[in-house]
Amino acid sequence: MYGSDILYNFECRDDITKIPNNINELDLVRIIGISCDNAIEESKALLKQKKKAHIEIMINSNENGEFEYEIQNKRRDSEISLKQIQQRG
């Protein structure tokens, strides 16, 4: 993101020392990496169109071992609705 001049914000307020036992650490790293790559790819496409790009990343864990992450990015106009993307299958 930095090397591509994409504005970004990363938030991780506390050290992540534990993730739930049913989550494979390597799988988690792959999932977050692919999610970031997708956001970067879309942001680069926006920049080519001379539009603004911005990525927000949040990672959080609590005492109960619950883990969450969220990646938000601007996207190009598309005929595909967000509701359609979020449907199963």
Side-chain angles (χ1 to χ4, degrees):
M1 289 176 263
Y2 179 79
S4 297
D5 292 327
I6 299 169
L7 296 175
Y8 66 93
N9 184 46
F10 177 82
E11 179 181 326
C12 182
R13 293 184 181 181
D14 299 312
D15 291 342
I16 307 295
T17 57
K18 183 179 177 186
I19 59 172
N21 292 333
N22 62 339
I23 297 177
N24 179 290
E25 290 179 16
L26 291 177
D27 287 343
L28 180 61
V29 169
R30 282 189 211 106
I31 291 167
I32 293 174
I34 290 169
S35 299
C36 286
D37 287 344
N38 290 343
I40 291 167
E41 183 178 313
E42 186 66 15
S43 296
K44 285 180 177 180
L46 283 171
L47 292 175
K48 281 185 180 179
Q49 295 177 349
K50 306 291 185 207
K51 295 183 179 179
K52 292 182 179 181
H54 188 99
I55 299 173
E56 296 278 337
I57 302 169
M58 180 278 302
I59 298 176
N60 187 37
S61 180
N62 63 24
E63 308 87 41
N64 299 330
E66 296 173 341
F67 177 87
E68 67 178 331
Y69 83 96
E70 184 174 331
I71 299 174
Q72 296 180 354
N73 59 283
K74 294 182 179 283
R75 65 181 182 92
R76 295 170 284 176
D77 293 332
S78 174
E79 297 294 320
I80 300 172
S81 73
L82 289 178
K83 287 184 180 183
Q84 182 181 6
I85 291 173
Q86 294 171 342
Q87 288 178 356
R88 286 182 169 240

